[in-house]
Amino acid sequence: MIHSLFLINASGDIFLEKHWKSVVSRSVCDYFFEALERATEPENVPPVIPTPHHYLINVLRHRIYFVAVIQSEVPPLFVIEFLHRVVDTFQDYFGVCTEAAIKDNVVVVYELLEEMLDNGFPLATESNILKELIKPPTILRTVVNTITGSTNVGEQLPTGQLSVVPWRRTGVKYTNNEAYFDVVEEIDAIIDKSGSTITAEIQGVIDACVKLTGMPDLTLSFMNPRLLDDVSFHPCVRFKRWEAERILSFIPPDGNFRLLSYHVSSQKIKKKKNVFESFLCSSSLHLFDKNTLHINDSIIQFLQLLSWDVGKINPQKLPSLKGSMSLQTGASKPDENPTINIQFKIQQLAISGLKVNRLDMYGEKYKPFKGIKYMTKAGKFQVRT
Amino acid sequence: RLPKTARSNTPPHIYITMNEDLKEMLESNKESLKLEAMKRIVGLIAKGKNAYELFPAVVKNVASKNIELKKLVYVYLVRYAEEQQDLALLSISTFQRALKDPNQLIRASALRVLSSIRVPIIVPIMMLAIKEAATDLSPYVRKTAAHAIQKLYSLDPDQKEHLIEVIEKLLKDKSTLVAGSVVMAFEEVCPDRIDLIHKNYRKLCNLLVDVEEWGQVVIIHMLTRYARTQFVSPWREDAVFDENSEKTFYDSEGRRVDQSKPYIMDPDHRLLLRNTKPLLQSRNTAVVMAVSQLYWHLAPKHELSIITKSLVRLLRSHREVQYIVLQNIATMSIQRKGMFEPFMKSFYVRSTDATHIKTLKLEILTNLANEANISTILRELQTYVKSQDKAFAAATIQAIGRCATNISEVTDTCLNGLVLLLSNRDETVVAESVVVIKKLLQTQPSQHSDIIKHMAKLFDSITVPMARASILWLMGEYCEHVPKNAPDVLRKMAKTFISEEDIVKLQTVNLAAKLYLSNSKQTKLLTQYILNLGKYDQNYDIRDRTRFIRQLIVPNEKSGALSRYARRILMAPKPAPVLQSAFKDRDRFQLGTLSHTLNSQSNGYLELSDWPAVAPDQSVRIVEVVELAGAPLLGKSKPGKSAEKFYSDSEEEEEEEGSSSEDSSSSSSEESESESESEENSDDSNKSSSSESDSEKKKKTLKNKKLQQQKPDILNITYLPPQIIQKALLLFIMTKFFSIHIVLAFSNQFVANCRCSLLCLCVFLACQFDAVSWHVRVSLQASFPVFVPETSHELLHRMTGKGLSAQYRFTRQPCIYGNSMVSLQLTLSNSSDQALENIHISEKSSTGQNIHRFNAIERLEPQASVTVSMGVDFNDSTQAANFQLCVSIQPAVGELLLPITMTEADFTKEQGKLLGMNESSATITMTPENISSQSVNRKVVSVANLGVIPSSQENIHRRCLNLTKPTFWNVIKKTNCS
């Protein structure tokens, strides 16, 4: 399956390579560099690049290209999904996934990659199992390790891989038992010139941070589960139970994880539409009206991007931005009607109206702290002008 | 930018000094120094620098106690063993020892490293290790063995035969851990050995939900291929079938059954579809895609729609995922527009999308366009034309062109829109418009000569070669429609001919030739001039073309018959180009594969075979019941299995549900023709169950009757000859009017006889009713529990139960009280000497499980026992069910007494206190032979718990007894009534 992996930074240097089968020469990346050169934007590099003997599948995240070398037929999504899982793991371990972080922790990175694939086939990708095998580096542990000479590699061998709930490690203990759930909804929308919605949909996720002792069995129920149009679950969720009762029943992994992603279709948002439409009209659209947009800044000609942080919006006082733009002589005239991307956040509101009804715990005796937070964000929210 | 692959130019001596340094560290005694050295070496490997001369120093540490050090040595070893084969052999013994370690994880990791060392000499050792590991007790080690198979195969393909044996063995493995890895090995080593899958097919289908996500992808792809070779196409009959069903609806004769054999889906085919469906909800995009392609390639067309939502959901994922998913949707949307049309808006382009994603979305939007939505799509496309991304804007114009040709209603609108674009500021937009207009005009040139004229005017301002060439071609082709403009354009071209691009030159020559033929008066000289220029052009194509054209059109003595036909050759009506999707022919590849993405066959691509015309023998998938004999073995494996099932869907139970209830059938099957019983349930079924001789006529009347009735009815076929059931079922299908609840309960023997045909029927039924979304509850899959344990477990001991003892056993029969319930058989026996009354289970259940209680047992005589069955819904978990068994015992009066010893005097005294109201007396007549004092004594004592007080009087026996606190006396006098 996956033969080798090359990590390439924005300036086109290969700064890490790992091979799971026999070594593939770096020169295979030349084909990638060719494609990189052809692409006008870093994002425009095609994800799958054929070469005479290999296929290169790459993902771009955090300005790093993760290029996997494939030798024979494999579902491309398989590789792509795995590469993203690798990035997620790095992020989980080092907090950020940057070239510097990877270079600083090259040994841990190598140990991780070694565990994640065997002969190019994914072996352990669950973060709970990996953390049992290789402890994430912390400043404290680094200090302790240098003094005592102890290691990052877990002393005990992983048991999670063998259990029926591979996502949860055994023997979890906390003094404060807590379970927090964040319902985060993103509005994807395209608004046209006149302010009417062309398309709008809500994508939501429930991210959980569960720190509970033992093997708790949780059930989470919603006030209005019918709202959800399409859902995908963390493997821990019992699907049958959801099908039958619309209740999320699961033994949670330890720590942070994404319990559920869901989609609320545009038909169901219709009712909610005036909420954000009025919100929009009051904020952005009027401001960015073509006639009043005069920007006095020479930097944008360089970046071709103007970003404006409005801060909190006061419904009485509409923020507005005016300016005039001077172009360098000979520079091409910028786009007359650029698309405006809007970012906003509304705390304590799930725009779809989804509400968690209750969370119950079985299987353990103690009483956990429970918390739920709602938030609405703009996802891919664009206004065409 | 230069490729950055060249190694840095550090002089070699620096390496040497650094490596010497590392070597020293490795040879020191301190663990920490060694570890530090290894970390630096791994750093070197990661950067792609060479560290192979350290091999001897590193390999010494392979047996280190420090786990991290050991792991880093493994990393090094795997990386360099190939280059240092002899030295690598030094480490082998360490691994061989570790292979025998009691810890499964150490065994596994030893096998992992051993198999990763690509040294051909150790092939026999590897082979041995794999064979041993394949039979290891630990599933984790077996999984590692499956991985090792592929490694060994790539190292030495000659081992194939031996490896296939191991694969065959591992395929039988029931562990979810192993399944994914062994199928991977199968795909790599022997993908053509489909025969190995037969026996494991059902198991793989059932395990699928519990396999880890990466394994799921591999298994699904393999099963897709498998299914295409084993089942008949569910599509072929589709159209025919639909038509017919409609016809029969109106046509009461209903001859459909006779005229075409309806498609019956193989139950295994259905099993695969059913078991993969929940995986559409997976968080892993690769799994969702795999299931989608499985449905695309295997499911009946009307079931395809369920994958749409999931695919659209994937569009929210990362850019690269979007790219692949959109490609697949593009291919699907060509064949089945309806699938994605409701989600059209999800394919609207955002300015932040990467270019390749934009073009894919555009492709899909174009594919989805139809008469109903074209106006919306065109409006959307208009905004794209204004995009900053010029490549995308150009693609949009192409898309508009395609919409225009595909949907004739909007051709004119599109054409007008495109003409407007000709005055666009941007040159690429204009050029692209010209090219597209050219293609559109070919369909109806006569009406649009003004557009051609307009383009002729634009000609000077357009510089993009393709666009110029297109205009020239248009001019030439339709020179009759623009007789004034064409020669003028040619004149301009003659001036600039030398500086034009090749493609423009070619078209200029063409234009010249065509004008020469149609309007030689004006253009003769111009043409000759251009032909002369072309004759000495640098490009041989142009020289060739010039030569050819000259011979063709200019009459001279040498040119023979051909030039007479010049006009017909050059001015022949040309077919309009068909604008079609670039994804048109992509469906030759299996969706979701690399080959599909690249649109060319990649290494190791396994082609999906076409459906077989006739299904191969289905019985190959039937697994013989080997376990039947090995009952104890099964019993042992049972708890483990249930633990595994803890998280899975209740496959097992489903199976059990499916099997028919032995209890109910065995009791009723005795009645052989159970017409009477069906009669009770519905008078219709009684008719249908009447023997075959009651042919068509009766059935028709029956059908009519049902039509009139219009209410759901219940048919209970208990024991009927299979042919009759078949007919009855077919009849139901034909009438198709009611929601039918068919409970098929059949006896053992009966099922053995006709299980196959029945199954087919049931599946057929299910399919049909699915299609019209009817609510049918058919008990399918008459599979029997492989082994019914006879042992029962003690629930209540007779000591603790005060005489009532209870035993339970799992009958492994489908529970008749509910689908999710497990049926439980309780044997209650009364070992006390009194009858127990009203035995029942108390109402409140402590664990919240749903328990179907047995009916209260009115009375259980002493020493009698009764067997009752109950159902418990364990919620698919191993949580214990708690319930209270309530018994009421009504004691006889005599049992409430206790004897006391006292003298006769006391007795008389106490008795004296209780005269009158407290006294009651009765007279019993007895036969003389019974009147001996012993016999009376015995009789009395047997009835009541009494003591005997010796009496002075002959014929008076005093009994003394006590009833707990309020002392109570009772005397029984015996009078001799001789």
Side-chain angles (χ1 to χ4, degrees):
Chain A
M1 289 231 151
I2 298 170
H3 222 93
S4 306
L5 177 69
F6 293 98
L7 267 56
I8 297 171
N9 64 15
S11 52
D13 293 318
I14 303 171
F15 66 93
L16 189 118
E17 62 178 69
K18 169 91 181 108
H19 308 275
W20 283 274
K21 300 182 183 181
S22 32
V23 179
V24 177
S25 158
R26 276 180 174 220
S27 58
V28 75
C29 290
D30 290 350
Y31 295 98
F32 174 77
F33 293 125
E34 262 172 44
L36 188 62
E37 206 135 334
R38 268 199 303 275
T40 45
E41 301 273 326
E43 289 85 22
N44 285 351
V45 180
V48 184
I49 303 165
T51 77
H53 300 290
H54 299 91
Y55 306 96
L56 304 177
I57 298 185
N58 70 82
V59 306
L60 171 67
R61 270 180 80 181
H62 309 285
R63 297 164 57 73
I64 300 172
Y65 289 100
F66 292 76
V67 184
V69 183
I70 309 296
Q71 219 161 23
S72 61
E73 175 64 50
V74 59
L77 268 187
F78 185 98
V79 181
I80 289 170
E81 177 79 24
F82 176 78
L83 291 177
H84 281 296
R85 215 54 85 74
V86 170
V87 182
D88 292 341
T89 311
F90 287 171
Q91 216 165 359
D92 195 21
Y93 264 73
F94 315 128
V96 284
C97 181
T98 59
E99 187 185 348
I102 292 173
K103 277 184 170 166
D104 289 348
N105 297 293
V106 71
V107 176
V108 179
V109 166
Y110 237 68
E111 284 167 348
L112 280 173
L113 290 176
E114 187 72 28
E115 292 299 337
M116 289 178 87
L117 281 180
D118 181 16
N119 195 36
F121 189 78
L123 192 64
T125 49
E126 279 296 334
S127 115
N128 266 285
I129 295 178
L130 286 171
K131 281 189 175 157
E132 240 180 301
L133 286 163
I134 302 148
K135 295 195 186 90
T138 59
I139 297 171
L140 182 69
R141 191 169 293 130
T142 322
V143 174
V144 170
N145 285 357
T146 41
I147 296 168
T148 61
S150 62
T151 66
N152 273 334
V153 173
E155 286 296 326
Q156 82 272 45
L157 293 150
T159 48
Q161 242 163 341
L162 309 171
S163 88
V164 283
V165 276
W167 53 87
R168 188 173 179 90
R169 57 197 175 94
T170 46
V172 186
K173 271 214 172 83
Y174 288 104
T175 41
N176 292 327
N177 288 297
E178 44 196 22
Y180 297 114
F181 295 87
D182 289 356
V183 180
V184 182
E185 297 196 335
E186 293 191 353
I187 307 170
D188 285 357
I190 302 177
I191 313 281
D192 75 358
K193 222 186 283 192
S194 58
S196 58
T197 317
I198 293 176
T199 158
E201 53 191 14
I202 295 171
Q203 306 287 344
V205 292
I206 299 182
D207 283 330
C209 175
V210 177
K211 293 181 173 171
L212 297 174
T213 309
M215 269 291 171
D217 196 337
L218 303 180
T219 57
L220 185 83
S221 61
F222 298 105
M223 305 271 260
N224 38 11
R226 300 277 156 208
L227 205 65
L228 308 181
D229 216 29
D230 182 43
V231 281
S232 77
F233 303 114
H234 189 275
C236 69
V237 177
R238 297 182 180 99
F239 185 70
K240 276 271 160 83
R241 194 88 193 272
W242 170 258
E243 284 278 89
E245 306 167 55
R246 298 275 146 182
I247 282 177
L248 292 176
S249 159
F250 55 99
I251 292 180
D254 186 39
N256 295 313
F257 66 101
R258 175 156 295 175
L259 178 65
L260 168 78
S261 332
Y262 60 89
H263 174 267
V264 180
S265 72
S266 44
Q267 286 91 1
K268 283 173 185 151
I269 321 173
K270 283 276 154 63
K271 286 170 245 156
K272 309 271 167 194
K273 222 170 72 177
N274 14 6
V275 179
F276 66 76
E277 219 158 68
S278 63
F279 165 81
L280 242 187
C281 289
S282 65
S283 61
S284 10
L285 203 69
H286 285 181
L287 313 171
F288 285 103
D289 194 294
K290 204 161 72 180
N291 303 325
T292 57
L293 184 70
H294 301 290
I295 300 146
N296 188 8
D297 204 325
S298 58
I299 304 166
I300 60 153
Q301 169 258 329
F302 187 65
L303 284 171
Q304 301 214 325
L305 181 80
L306 169 76
S307 77
W308 176 34
D309 191 355
V310 182
K312 258 195 178 158
I313 288 183
N314 183 350
Q316 271 82 49
K317 241 174 73 185
L318 293 177
S320 79
L321 180 69
K322 280 186 187 180
S324 63
M325 189 162 62
S326 52
L327 292 168
Q328 260 179 6
T329 43
S332 65
K333 211 172 150 198
D335 201 359
E336 263 175 4
N337 33 18
T339 318
I340 297 157
N341 291 310
I342 297 170
Q343 292 296 327
F344 59 81
K345 264 185 200 171
I346 312 169
Q347 299 286 355
Q348 291 309 324
L349 170 79
I351 194 100
S352 68
L354 186 78
K355 276 237 149 46
V356 172
N357 187 19
R358 55 181 296 147
L359 176 76
D360 296 306
M361 188 178 73
Y362 303 98
E364 295 288 335
K365 293 273 183 298
Y366 55 83
K367 271 234 174 281
F369 292 107
K370 297 180 269 192
I372 183 123
K373 215 166 71 183
Y374 297 94
M375 189 168 43
T376 300
K377 287 201 285 193
K380 295 174 184 165
F381 204 114
Q382 298 197 332
V383 181
R384 290 177 179 163
T385 56
Chain B
R1 197 184 301 136
L2 273 171
K4 303 284 171 145
T5 48
R7 294 255 159 81
S8 61
N9 300 328
T10 330
H13 65 267
I14 290 183
Y15 273 136
I16 292 163
T17 51
M18 200 170 74
N19 288 352
E20 283 305 318
D21 176 32
L22 287 171
K23 204 177 263 178
E24 258 168 48
M25 285 167 81
L26 282 170
E27 273 155 12
S28 79
N29 293 325
K30 274 178 140 179
E31 288 271 287
S32 59
L33 269 182
K34 286 182 179 176
L35 191 61
E36 184 55 38
M38 275 319 292
K39 284 185 175 172
R40 278 166 59 184
I41 292 171
V42 167
L44 288 179
I45 295 175
K47 286 195 199 103
K49 288 180 181 147
N50 215 339
Y52 86 101
E53 63 269 22
L54 288 166
F55 203 95
V58 174
V59 86
K60 274 182 213 160
N61 293 306
V62 74
S64 166
K65 292 258 178 324
N66 185 318
I67 294 181
E68 183 166 27
L69 180 59
K70 196 153 81 174
K71 282 199 170 170
L72 295 178
V73 172
Y74 285 177
V75 170
Y76 183 91
L77 200 59
V78 171
R79 170 70 180 76
Y80 286 113
E82 217 172 355
E83 295 167 37
Q84 296 270 340
Q85 306 214 349
D86 295 341
L87 285 167
L89 293 179
L90 295 175
S91 62
I92 302 299
S93 63
T94 320
F95 298 126
Q96 281 180 305
R97 216 173 309 128
L99 281 172
K100 302 269 187 298
D101 197 280
N103 187 324
Q104 49 175 339
L105 293 148
I106 291 178
R107 286 200 303 276
S109 91
L111 180 62
R112 229 184 112 185
V113 182
L114 180 68
S115 54
S116 300
I117 298 174
R118 287 169 294 276
V119 180
I121 306 170
I122 63 163
V123 164
I125 299 175
M126 271 165 78
M127 193 68 223
L128 207 69
I130 289 171
K131 277 187 175 161
E132 217 156 274
T135 54
D136 200 291
L137 280 179
S138 153
Y140 185 63
V141 177
R142 296 201 298 273
K143 183 190 178 74
T144 321
H147 285 256
I149 291 172
Q150 306 165 49
K151 298 182 208 170
L152 181 55
Y153 179 66
S154 64
L155 187 64
D156 182 8
D158 293 343
Q159 300 291 323
K160 188 170 174 179
E161 288 312 310
H162 297 286
L163 289 173
I164 291 176
E165 277 169 32
V166 183
I167 289 174
E168 194 174 357
K169 200 182 298 166
L170 283 174
L171 273 172
K172 294 202 180 93
D173 205 303
K174 289 202 172 60
S175 163
T176 50
L177 263 180
V178 186
S181 303
V182 69
V183 171
M184 188 64 229
F186 170 83
E187 291 281 81
E188 204 117 307
V189 180
C190 51
D192 46 338
R193 288 291 302 273
I194 285 284
D195 57 301
L196 296 181
I197 304 299
H198 290 323
K199 289 267 183 277
N200 302 298
Y201 173 82
R202 289 176 194 170
K203 184 198 72 194
L204 282 174
C205 286
N206 287 327
L207 285 183
L208 196 57
V209 196
D210 294 326
V211 174
E212 37 85 40
E213 41 196 358
W214 309 108
Q216 284 173 347
V217 179
V218 177
I219 296 177
I220 293 171
H221 274 272
M222 188 276 288
L223 288 179
T224 312
R225 249 172 0 95
Y226 176 84
R228 278 293 275 265
T229 61
Q230 298 300 318
F231 306 128
V232 288
S233 165
W235 309 330
R236 193 183 44 193
E237 309 278 345
D238 248 8
V240 184
F241 172 76
D242 283 344
E243 268 170 42
N244 279 338
S245 69
E246 228 162 87
K247 227 183 268 168
T248 42
F249 188 91
Y250 299 106
D251 169 23
S252 62
E253 290 304 306
R255 297 236 174 260
R256 190 175 61 83
V257 185
D258 310 336
Q259 51 177 257
S260 75
K261 200 170 148 264
Y263 166 71
I264 297 168
M265 188 184 262
D266 190 304
D268 288 327
H269 190 170
R270 174 56 61 196
L271 177 75
L272 178 60
L273 292 177
R274 199 179 51 216
N275 284 2
T276 47
K277 193 178 159 192
L279 297 180
L280 282 172
Q281 251 65 46
S282 171
R283 66 167 171 172
N284 189 319
T285 56
V287 175
V288 179
M289 189 67 231
V291 179
S292 304
Q293 66 84 22
L294 180 131
Y295 264 77
W296 177 259
H297 291 294
L298 298 180
K301 297 292 186 200
H302 59 266
E303 285 173 47
L304 257 184
S305 55
I306 61 161
I307 65 172
T308 317
K309 258 186 196 173
S310 306
L311 282 176
V312 172
R313 183 185 68 228
L314 298 190
L315 296 181
R316 276 283 297 171
S317 193
H318 299 284
R319 184 179 59 91
E320 298 83 7
V321 176
Q322 284 182 38
Y323 174 70
I324 305 291
V325 174
L326 284 170
Q327 276 194 325
N328 286 295
I329 292 180
T331 306
M332 292 186 196
S333 61
I334 291 174
Q335 283 186 34
R336 299 189 72 83
K337 283 183 188 188
M339 260 175 87
F340 293 97
E341 216 197 305
F343 295 89
M344 198 175 75
K345 288 189 172 176
S346 304
F347 303 108
Y348 281 5
V349 174
R350 290 160 204 278
S351 60
T352 41
D353 289 334
T355 306
H356 51 254
I357 299 219
K358 285 180 186 165
T359 24
L360 280 170
K361 283 187 173 175
L362 199 62
E363 174 71 40
I364 294 167
L365 282 177
T366 321
N367 290 342
L368 292 181
N370 59 22
E371 282 84 357
N373 60 23
I374 184 68
S375 60
T376 327
I377 288 183
L378 278 183
R379 211 177 312 130
E380 187 66 18
L381 292 182
Q382 270 171 24
T383 55
Y384 301 162
V385 173
K386 294 179 207 145
S387 164
Q388 276 294 81
D389 188 340
K390 289 307 158 201
F392 173 57
T396 308
I397 294 167
Q398 292 279 4
I400 294 175
R402 259 180 62 200
C403 290
T405 43
N406 294 343
I407 300 159
S408 52
E409 279 95 332
V410 291
T411 313
D412 285 340
T413 331
C414 289
L415 204 53
N416 289 337
L418 289 171
V419 171
L420 282 181
L421 284 178
L422 289 177
S423 47
N424 196 292
R425 264 196 317 168
D426 191 87
E427 198 186 29
T428 38
V429 172
V430 177
E432 202 66 37
S433 311
V434 169
V435 176
V436 173
I437 289 173
K438 177 209 136 192
K439 288 178 184 165
L440 284 182
L441 284 184
Q442 266 184 278
T443 54
Q444 36 191 192
S446 53
Q447 307 154 27
H448 297 293
S449 54
D450 48 334
I451 296 179
I452 301 176
K453 277 177 200 153
H454 181 68
M455 282 163 76
K457 278 179 204 137
L458 276 174
F459 187 72
D460 293 337
S461 56
I462 293 173
T463 57
V464 175
M466 191 58 211
R468 285 175 77 88
S470 294
I471 295 179
L472 288 176
W473 186 88
L474 272 178
M475 290 290 159
E477 193 65 25
Y478 307 116
C479 50
E480 273 120 3
H481 301 296
V482 282
K484 295 207 174 112
N485 307 56
D488 197 42
V489 172
L490 188 66
R491 181 184 59 81
K492 284 179 191 160
M493 280 313 298
K495 273 194 211 164
T496 56
F497 186 83
I498 307 163
S499 53
E500 294 290 345
E501 288 280 330
D502 292 345
I503 184 172
V504 185
K505 285 178 182 172
L506 284 176
Q507 288 308 327
T508 313
V509 174
N510 270 354
L511 174 66
K514 285 172 184 170
L515 283 177
Y516 182 88
L517 290 175
S518 62
N519 188 2
S520 60
K521 211 168 73 187
Q522 269 188 306
T523 55
K524 193 172 179 184
L525 286 171
L526 269 175
T527 307
Q528 269 169 359
Y529 174 66
I530 286 169
L531 288 178
N532 282 336
L533 284 176
K535 193 175 175 183
Y536 299 107
D537 200 90
Q538 284 188 320
N539 187 300
Y540 55 80
D541 271 348
I542 294 164
R543 294 199 301 272
D544 275 357
R545 177 73 60 90
T546 315
R547 206 171 296 131
F548 161 67
I549 294 285
R550 189 192 293 277
Q551 291 302 318
L552 192 63
I553 58 170
V554 183
N556 55 13
E557 51 288 353
K558 263 188 232 163
S559 70
L562 207 58
S563 62
R564 264 186 283 143
Y565 298 107
R567 197 182 168 82
R568 276 165 77 181
I569 291 171
L570 281 175
M571 304 298 270
K574 295 169 184 71
V578 185
L579 299 178
Q580 62 182 16
S581 167
F583 285 82
K584 188 89 185 155
D585 57 342
R586 287 249 178 143
D587 55 349
R588 65 198 158 112
F589 294 111
Q590 186 177 357
L591 289 186
T593 59
L594 188 63
S595 305
H596 175 267
T597 300
L598 297 171
N599 199 18
S600 71
Q601 186 155 338
S602 54
N603 295 336
Y605 173 74
L606 300 165
E607 211 153 315
L608 268 188
S609 64
D610 279 334
W611 297 100
V614 179
D617 185 14
Q618 342 180 325
S619 62
V620 288
R621 283 184 294 277
I622 296 169
V623 187
E624 321 91 338
V625 188
V626 192
E627 284 91 339
L628 202 63
L633 205 149
L634 194 90
K636 221 191 331 184
S637 71
K638 186 77 185 164
K641 209 172 168 189
S642 68
E644 248 165 53
K645 287 288 170 199
F646 181 53
Y647 245 88
S648 81
D649 310 343
S650 51
E651 306 297 346
E652 267 180 316
E653 268 160 64
E654 263 173 40
E655 266 169 43
E656 282 176 28
E657 276 165 36
S659 65
S660 60
S661 148
E662 221 167 7
D663 287 336
S664 61
S665 59
S666 58
S667 59
S668 53
S669 62
E670 256 73 78
E671 301 162 30
S672 64
E673 303 306 311
S674 66
E675 283 165 30
S676 56
E677 200 175 308
S678 9
E679 216 161 16
E680 286 163 27
N681 293 321
S682 80
D683 42 358
D684 300 333
S685 59
N686 128 45
K687 277 186 188 162
S688 67
S689 62
S690 59
S691 71
E692 287 172 271
S693 54
D694 293 321
S695 58
E696 295 293 308
K697 202 188 98 193
K698 213 158 193 185
K699 282 180 182 164
K700 259 179 224 160
T701 53
L702 160 67
K703 193 174 72 186
N704 294 340
K705 203 168 168 190
K706 286 165 77 58
L707 286 166
Q708 287 154 12
Q709 257 185 343
Q710 297 223 351
K711 69 168 168 62
D713 55 356
I714 295 165
L715 167 70
N716 202 343
I717 311 164
T718 315
Y719 183 70
L720 301 169
Q723 301 93 324
I724 296 191
I725 296 188
Q726 279 195 9
K727 290 226 164 141
L729 289 175
L730 277 175
L731 199 66
F732 277 111
I733 301 157
M734 279 157 62
T735 57
K736 268 188 158 187
F737 226 94
F738 306 98
S739 86
I740 308 165
H741 299 257
I742 305 171
V743 183
L744 296 169
F746 11 77
S747 74
N748 252 328
Q749 187 206 1
F750 167 63
V751 173
N753 286 343
C754 64
R755 184 163 73 181
C756 241
S757 60
L758 249 179
L759 265 177
C760 291
L761 264 170
C762 295
V763 172
F764 174 52
L765 262 182
C767 301
Q768 295 226 328
F769 290 117
D770 258 12
V772 286
S773 74
W774 275 14
H775 175 73
V776 180
R777 206 189 305 144
V778 186
S779 307
L780 281 184
Q781 260 193 326
S783 90
F784 282 89
V786 169
F787 165 71
V788 181
E790 292 299 332
T791 51
S792 46
H793 314 269
E794 185 127 62
L795 181 64
L796 185 66
H797 192 258
R798 65 188 156 84
M799 295 308 281
T800 39
K802 302 260 178 338
L804 175 71
S805 71
Q807 294 195 310
Y808 70 95
R809 81 183 180 95
F810 293 99
T811 58
R812 303 211 182 161
Q813 297 297 332
C815 187
I816 50 171
Y817 308 118
N819 284 343
S820 56
M821 286 187 174
V822 175
S823 72
L824 204 63
Q825 201 175 59
L826 284 188
T827 310
L828 304 165
S829 45
N830 186 357
S831 51
S832 71
D833 44 4
Q834 305 128 31
L836 301 171
E837 284 189 7
N838 192 22
I839 302 173
H840 65 275
I841 288 175
S842 87
E843 289 292 320
K844 53 174 191 268
S845 149
S846 51
T847 46
Q849 276 141 331
N850 193 7
I851 297 176
H852 189 278
R853 301 171 191 84
F854 53 87
N855 290 336
I857 299 163
E858 294 279 314
R859 187 174 170 85
L860 187 60
E861 293 299 334
Q863 305 310 324
S865 69
V866 65
T867 305
V868 291
S869 61
M870 58 187 285
V872 182
D873 186 356
F874 285 99
N875 290 335
D876 303 343
S877 73
T878 50
Q879 210 178 354
N882 295 334
F883 54 85
Q884 291 179 334
L885 202 59
C886 302
V887 184
S888 59
I889 302 169
Q890 198 184 43
V893 185
E895 304 295 338
L896 303 172
L897 307 176
L898 252 183
I900 304 175
T901 334
M902 56 179 12
T903 60
E904 194 188 354
D906 285 341
F907 181 85
T908 344
K909 192 176 129 205
E910 294 294 321
Q911 191 194 6
K913 289 177 187 170
L914 288 164
L915 290 174
M917 260 177 64
N918 297 323
E919 193 181 41
S920 72
S921 63
T923 312
I924 302 162
T925 319
M926 297 180 94
T927 49
E929 57 266 29
N930 277 345
I931 56 167
S932 74
S933 69
Q934 278 87 2
S935 73
V936 170
N937 257 347
R938 205 171 50 241
K939 285 230 160 145
V940 173
V941 169
S942 74
V943 172
N945 194 4
L946 298 175
V948 181
I949 296 167
S951 163
S952 50
Q953 283 167 283
E954 262 289 303
N955 48 1
I956 297 172
H957 297 262
R958 285 160 204 259
R959 314 274 173 221
C960 157
L961 55 104
N962 155 329
L963 191 82
T964 54
K965 209 58 207 165
T967 335
F968 188 82
W969 300 90
N970 209 342
V971 180
I972 296 177
K973 283 185 185 168
K974 188 197 168 276
T975 8
N976 203 342
C977 39
S978 49

